[in-house]
Amino acid sequence: MESSSQSHHNGFVVDSSVAVTDSSPCTVTVAQTAVVSDMETVTSTKMTDLEVAAVATDPAAAATLASAAAVVTAVLSTEAMMGVVAAAAASTAAVTTAAATATAVLSQVSTAASGKTEHQEDWNMTTTTLTIPPQPLENILLQYAIPVYKNPTIEQMQEGVLGLDRLLYHIEHECSNLHAGRAPGFETNTCLTTDLLTGRVWSPYYPYETLRHLAPSPQQQQAATTAQVPLPSPASTLNCYRGIRQAWIERIAFVSTRGTSSNTNAHFVTSNDCSCIATWEHCKSRTMIQIDLANQVLEQNMVQESSHQVTAKMLYEQFHKTTTSSVTATEGATLPCTLSVWDEMYTNPETCPSPYETSYVSQVPIRFLRDRDDYISIYCRLAFACRSSIKVCTSYLFVDDPAQRYILLDLLPHMAMTKDVQVEILVDLMTVESAIMKSVFLPTAQSPSNTPDTNTVAKSQEHDQETITTTSFLKNLLPGSPPFDKGKDEPKSALNFLQKLVGTAATIPQDKFKVRWWCARDGEKKYRIKNHAKCTIFDEQAAFIGGSNLVPTVKSATSDCDLLVQGRKTVQHINNTFLFLWNGMDEENMLAGMSPYQLTEEEKKSGDLATGTTKSHVYDKADVANPNNEKELNECLLTNTVPGDDWDDPNCRVSFVRSTPTSDGEDAILRSVIGAINTSQVSITMCMGHCNIPASFTQALSKACDRGVHVRIMINSLYSNDLRGGQRDLFVSLHHLMTVAPKVRVYATDLLRHKPCLDQQQPAFLHSKYIVIDHEWSAVGSWNLWTRASFYEIEHELLVYSTKVASYLEGKFERESNEMAILLHSADQCLPGNGFCPKGCHMCEGYGPFFVAPSLPSSSVSLIEE
């Protein structure tokens, strides 16, 4: 018996005046029912000791809840014996009553805990007494920071593991509610009780559900700026920190047994070593291995729930039901091309429109942004020319980048304050949660050394032979630009920066500077949907679109692909995508039950708007086509900002496409690209920052090769990619592609072996995303050719008819493939552990069931450059 007011159970700290015995049940089962066709589906969820203790304060509620749980438990047992169908018919009424009773009791408990009555308005918006959801992580992350080092010794990494142990202990023992926090964490397919006890409300926003209470109320803006930064739940951070701990321990074991190499000599890596752990030495002057490994774990955790839910759905739908397709190899032999149920959605030419079927706006001026400094210079010039609005949509914020801090803390606030320009910034919340989790890692200066600063990159040969650095953009600022002031000092952590950003927004009057966090989940499977679309829109007349987030990083300073597009009609389509995302996080829209679409009768029959779910998606060519073939209006107030002779092509034909991924796997951009490949006659050139090749895409490329089309592809390898998570899927898919379509020329980034030292040999991060077909049609934007773009990541893309744009991109491909890539000569180079492909570990687990790696012979060893 433990009778103190603070008791410990399974890692929880429960504050309660009610004694909890050691023999108290650890869980109470509750049922949530939903009628699907004529079936009663019962989902069993669990209550923690914390919830039991909360209910125990009301004996009557506890008795009612226990009675309801007993009914549900009996029903579940009956189902196990009689089968789901028979039990559903016999128990529908009992389960429905029990679930309703349980839900009502939990709702009352949650209401009592928050002090809310039926006469009060929403607690987060209109209560006179400000109530902010508890975020217990904030003090813990600040108090238990973990030093990390560049090129750490084994002892320093071991200290880091001990620091993670301390952090994990304090999170488990100081957070009374492991699900507290305004951000939901990376797992949102959660039980009913979790949402009730945390006060989270998901509102239908077709085809998603968006999280309410993320937009700060006026009271919050005035009372506590820190409350505006949604922190993840302790439960989610525990999972992530445990994964990071595992990765650090594996790295320590590798270094202890294998050592590290300081030269370019290759050595053999045993079959137990995955390159995700072993191969980092080429990065040592640019990065910190501890933070690098943490990045891999966090990115993998972000996508894990989506991957598992998609896998379950695909397997339920008999994933490899169809295997009848085939392709012809070079030698004339017919090879099987296994297509999944999902791949077959994209093999019918009737549903993949050719470029000739798509509507375009003509006379659209386009200018490529040559490098990081050029990008920021044009960005600032356009911002200064604005008179009404600047809208920013980004997936990631990099707080260690002075250019991003200048734009967010100096330039845009200056435009809002002095020019009365409305500034709206939308950031994906998953990446914010990841950055906050990394806030606990404190970079620590080591003993002085003579190692030169390599955080620079040389400009391309087509420009002046200058060097791009983190601050070289400053010399190109316009006269009268705000000084580099508030953003000059590097913040202590991402959390510190985010608090400064929302604090800046709170000080600007008339709500002229707004920050919102995109947080949505799939309407059917309830996993998080990530916003990967990137753009900045100036006065709804000009827009930046491409692969970069807010600005290109130094690592991708010349190797990203971004462009400026101008004109009201074209930019309006980009603006509509921004509004779809922005309005999805608007409290007033949620409360009004607004939907971004006017649904057709067919769509209404296929889904339930009230719950945000859809059973199927009916493809419509209107999803990818502009409503009219028309000329662009050149009455742009920003025209004089960019000289007329500075456009790469002032007369492009452009169409804009947005993907809206769900668990149905519908991807309008993939349809457009495959449709263009199906009509190709001469050439296909593709560069993808992140990639894996779906079987349907492989089939389209193989058929193009059979028509005599010259196909070449360039991709990142582990030597340049900042994320290892998709590398295994990438090279497994390339093995399939090079087997069934050996005429395709595949280039992978490689070490710059002409450099004298290994730590100077890392190639630039290839972040471009473009496809060029027949020297005249191009697709460029934020879209990556990988399966998660169809299920998990929101993207947008420009489809461009222009020989000049195509020529620019093909020239970029030629230059970068010559400078930092090698041609792969055999599909065997793509086998796991045999060159570029990781052997496999918890950090490179594949997405979904789409790519199965061939087995290596037991005698095989790999040659990995360290």
Side-chain angles (χ1 to χ4, degrees):
M1 172 80 66
E2 185 175 27
S3 58
S4 66
S5 61
Q6 189 177 67
S7 59
H8 297 260
H9 283 273
N10 299 335
F12 291 98
V13 179
V14 181
D15 290 320
S16 174
S17 59
V18 178
V20 181
T21 65
D22 292 334
S23 61
S24 298
C26 291
T27 60
V28 174
T29 304
V30 183
Q32 177 185 5
T33 61
V35 178
V36 180
S37 300
D38 295 325
M39 298 276 294
E40 185 72 19
T41 302
V42 181
T43 302
S44 178
T45 59
K46 292 185 175 182
M47 289 182 61
T48 65
D49 286 9
L50 174 67
E51 298 166 35
V52 172
V55 174
T57 60
D58 185 346
T64 305
L65 186 59
S67 175
V71 174
V72 174
T73 303
V75 170
L76 294 177
S77 300
T78 303
E79 286 180 345
M81 294 183 294
M82 299 170 54
V84 176
V85 177
S91 61
T92 298
V95 172
T96 302
T97 303
T101 303
T103 301
V105 172
L106 287 176
S107 179
Q108 292 170 7
V109 172
S110 178
T111 299
S114 64
K116 177 180 172 181
T117 71
E118 62 181 358
H119 301 293
Q120 285 181 306
E121 296 291 337
D122 190 281
W123 58 268
N124 196 32
M125 297 186 64
T126 58
T127 50
T128 55
T129 302
L130 180 64
T131 303
I132 298 173
Q135 301 201 107
L137 271 184
E138 183 172 359
N139 291 333
I140 295 176
L141 295 181
L142 295 175
Q143 189 173 355
Y144 300 104
I146 300 172
V148 294
Y149 304 88
K150 182 179 287 186
N151 304 324
T153 64
I154 292 178
E155 291 75 17
Q156 288 170 333
M157 288 204 70
Q158 289 171 336
E159 290 175 6
V161 172
L162 292 176
L164 278 172
D165 287 337
R166 286 191 295 270
L167 178 64
L168 289 167
Y169 175 85
H170 286 287
I171 292 175
E172 288 178 335
H173 289 79
E174 293 182 20
C175 296
S176 59
N177 184 350
L178 289 181
H179 298 288
R182 295 182 65 198
F186 300 152
E187 301 86 22
T188 55
N189 189 355
T190 56
C191 64
L192 172 67
T193 55
T194 298
D195 286 337
L196 283 172
L197 290 173
T198 56
R200 296 196 192 105
V201 179
W202 295 87
S203 296
Y205 193 68
Y206 184 83
Y208 305 129
E209 294 175 352
T210 52
L211 185 62
R212 289 177 55 184
H213 311 313
L214 284 178
S217 66
Q219 294 95 328
Q220 288 175 334
Q221 288 184 338
Q222 297 172 6
T225 58
T226 58
Q228 301 174 51
V229 181
L231 269 63
S233 68
S236 182
T237 58
L238 284 174
N239 290 337
C240 293
Y241 289 141
R242 286 167 183 153
I244 293 170
R245 182 183 185 276
Q246 178 184 346
W248 286 8
I249 290 175
E250 290 173 356
R251 176 65 183 181
I252 291 171
F254 170 78
V255 175
S256 299
T257 57
R258 303 296 303 171
T260 57
S261 173
S262 60
N263 53 52
T264 58
N265 295 328
H267 69 273
F268 288 97
V269 179
T270 67
S271 59
N272 292 327
D273 299 318
C274 181
S275 56
C276 297
I277 295 294
T279 312
W280 289 95
E281 298 310 306
H282 59 282
C283 306
K284 65 183 180 180
S285 289
R286 296 188 178 194
T287 185
M288 293 185 169
I289 181 65
Q290 292 161 291
I291 293 180
D292 265 332
L293 293 173
N295 279 335
Q296 312 313 308
V297 173
L298 289 167
E299 288 290 333
Q300 188 70 10
N301 280 26
M302 274 191 213
V303 76
Q304 195 169 53
E305 186 176 56
S306 167
S307 175
H308 292 169
Q309 291 294 322
V310 169
T311 298
K313 180 171 182 175
M314 292 292 104
L315 294 179
Y316 177 77
E317 295 178 354
Q318 301 180 27
F319 178 64
H320 281 141
K321 179 172 59 178
T322 303
T323 57
T324 56
S325 299
S326 63
V327 294
T328 304
T330 304
E331 295 80 5
T334 299
L335 301 172
C337 184
T338 302
L339 295 176
S340 69
V341 172
W342 173 74
D343 284 301
E344 283 201 322
M345 292 168 55
Y346 298 92
T347 58
N348 185 352
E350 293 297 320
T351 61
C352 294
S354 74
Y356 309 106
E357 296 176 277
T358 303
S359 299
Y360 295 81
V361 177
S362 62
Q363 297 184 5
V364 179
I366 283 180
R367 182 197 190 279
F368 281 98
L369 304 162
R370 301 308 198 260
D371 53 51
R372 170 184 162 94
D373 286 353
D374 182 48
Y375 184 111
I376 299 171
S377 175
I378 300 297
Y379 192 107
C380 294
R381 287 162 61 185
L382 286 169
F384 259 73
C386 282
R387 293 296 178 265
S388 60
S389 66
I390 300 174
K391 301 173 183 176
V392 177
C393 181
T394 185
S395 184
Y396 291 84
L397 293 177
F398 299 107
V399 303
D400 58 346
D401 185 350
Q404 293 205 17
R405 299 199 304 270
Y406 175 75
I407 289 174
L408 292 173
L409 299 180
D410 291 311
L411 176 64
L412 296 184
H414 171 81
M415 296 305 300
M417 287 285 290
T418 65
K419 305 290 186 179
D420 202 32
V421 172
Q422 179 67 55
V423 175
E424 297 174 345
I425 302 171
L426 183 69
V427 187
D428 181 78
L429 185 57
M430 294 187 81
T431 67
V432 168
E433 292 175 76
S434 175
I436 289 172
M437 292 185 206
K438 287 184 289 186
S439 293
V440 76
F441 304 125
L442 182 64
T444 304
Q446 304 201 61
S447 56
S449 67
N450 294 323
T451 304
D453 180 14
T454 59
N455 198 22
T456 62
V457 62
K459 287 191 176 183
S460 173
Q461 293 181 358
E462 64 177 314
H463 301 290
D464 297 334
Q465 290 299 312
E466 300 176 5
T467 298
I468 298 175
T469 68
T470 57
T471 57
S472 58
F473 71 92
L474 291 171
K475 66 179 181 294
N476 296 323
L477 295 181
L478 292 173
S481 298
F484 191 20
D485 180 20
K486 292 182 179 179
K488 186 173 184 179
D489 296 330
E490 185 167 346
K492 297 178 182 178
S493 67
L495 178 58
N496 176 261
F497 170 80
L498 292 167
Q499 291 171 340
K500 194 171 184 179
L501 176 63
V502 296
T504 300
T507 62
I508 296 178
Q510 299 179 347
D511 228 10
K512 282 293 182 178
F513 193 104
K514 298 181 181 179
V515 180
R516 289 183 184 172
W517 322 102
W518 167 259
C519 183
R521 65 183 184 183
D522 181 66
E524 178 184 354
K525 295 300 181 181
K526 311 302 183 187
Y527 60 77
R528 291 281 290 272
I529 296 292
K530 181 180 181 181
N531 174 31
H532 192 252
K534 298 99 176 263
C535 64
T536 300
I537 303 167
F538 304 92
D539 275 357
E540 299 183 15
Q541 300 175 56
F544 278 19
I545 188 171
S548 295
N549 286 281
L550 184 60
V551 299
T553 65
V554 172
K555 289 184 179 180
S556 62
T558 62
S559 56
D560 215 323
C561 186
D562 302 283
L563 50 84
L564 166 65
V565 59
Q566 182 173 280
R568 290 184 182 275
K569 292 181 180 179
T570 304
V571 174
Q572 187 59 49
H573 295 290
I574 303 173
N575 188 63
N576 286 344
T577 289
F578 177 87
L579 291 177
F580 164 70
L581 299 168
W582 181 261
N583 291 336
M585 305 315 302
D586 187 281
E587 291 287 334
E588 293 183 2
N589 284 352
M590 292 180 187
L591 293 174
M594 290 181 62
S595 172
Y597 301 120
Q598 292 295 325
L599 301 182
T600 65
E601 290 302 317
E602 190 168 17
E603 287 174 321
K604 291 177 181 177
K605 291 178 182 178
S606 66
D608 183 0
L609 182 60
T611 60
T613 61
T614 57
K615 298 172 185 172
S616 63
H617 176 88
V618 180
Y619 171 74
D620 187 343
K621 290 179 181 178
D623 290 346
V624 299
N626 290 336
N628 300 299
N629 282 312
E630 54 189 350
K631 293 183 179 180
E632 183 54 84
L633 295 173
N634 288 321
E635 302 170 358
C636 180
L637 299 178
L638 306 179
T639 300
N640 294 331
T641 304
V642 178
D645 58 356
D646 205 21
W647 296 98
D648 288 286
D649 189 346
N651 294 298
C652 300
R653 294 166 56 204
V654 173
S655 184
F656 177 80
V657 189
R658 180 184 74 216
S659 72
T660 309
T662 68
S663 54
D664 288 334
E666 175 57 40
D667 188 344
I669 300 174
L670 179 60
R671 289 195 186 279
S672 298
V673 172
I674 290 180
I677 290 174
N678 290 340
T679 62
S680 61
Q681 299 297 321
V682 181
S683 65
I684 300 171
T685 299
M686 182 176 85
C687 176
M688 281 290 153
H690 299 291
C691 183
N692 54 59
I693 314 292
S696 56
F697 200 89
T698 291
Q699 185 184 74
L701 291 180
S702 178
K703 291 180 178 179
C705 289
D706 292 342
R707 297 194 301 271
V709 177
H710 177 66
V711 182
R712 53 183 182 167
I713 298 171
M714 182 164 56
I715 47 87
N716 275 305
S717 72
L718 59 92
Y719 296 120
S720 59
N721 204 333
D722 64 340
L723 299 178
R724 303 289 179 90
Q727 286 284 291
R728 184 174 169 85
D729 274 356
L730 165 59
F731 282 95
V732 169
S733 70
L734 285 175
H735 180 271
H736 182 214
L737 172 66
M738 296 178 71
T739 300
V740 302
K743 292 182 181 180
V744 175
R745 297 173 65 84
V746 178
Y747 296 84
T749 54
D750 192 24
L751 294 175
L752 308 179
R753 301 179 189 276
H754 61 280
K755 299 285 186 179
C757 301
L758 181 62
D759 58 8
Q760 298 176 359
Q761 293 185 355
Q762 184 180 22
F765 174 32
L766 193 67
H767 201 238
S768 300
K769 313 150 197 304
Y770 60 83
I771 298 176
V772 182
I773 294 179
D774 290 351
H775 311 303
E776 63 175 2
W777 185 93
S778 307
V780 59
S782 66
W783 181 75
N784 289 302
L785 175 62
W786 55 2
T787 48
R788 64 179 71 182
S790 300
F791 294 92
Y792 164 71
E793 291 181 337
I794 295 173
E795 308 284 5
H796 56 204
E797 196 87 349
L798 286 182
L799 311 180
V800 183
Y801 257 116
S802 166
T803 56
K804 294 179 181 178
V805 167
S807 177
Y808 177 91
L809 293 172
E810 289 173 329
K812 181 179 177 65
F813 185 100
E814 293 281 357
R815 184 173 61 254
E816 292 175 346
S817 61
N818 289 332
E819 290 176 355
M820 58 184 186
I822 61 171
L823 178 67
L824 302 185
H825 296 286
S826 169
D828 288 346
Q829 291 175 276
C830 302
L831 289 172
N834 199 27
F836 293 106
C837 185
K839 290 184 176 69
C841 68
H842 62 100
M843 291 190 291
C844 58
E845 177 185 337
Y847 182 85
F850 303 100
F851 304 101
V852 180
S855 299
L856 274 175
S858 58
S859 60
S860 176
V861 292
S862 64
L863 191 63
I864 300 291
E865 294 288 347
E866 275 283 358

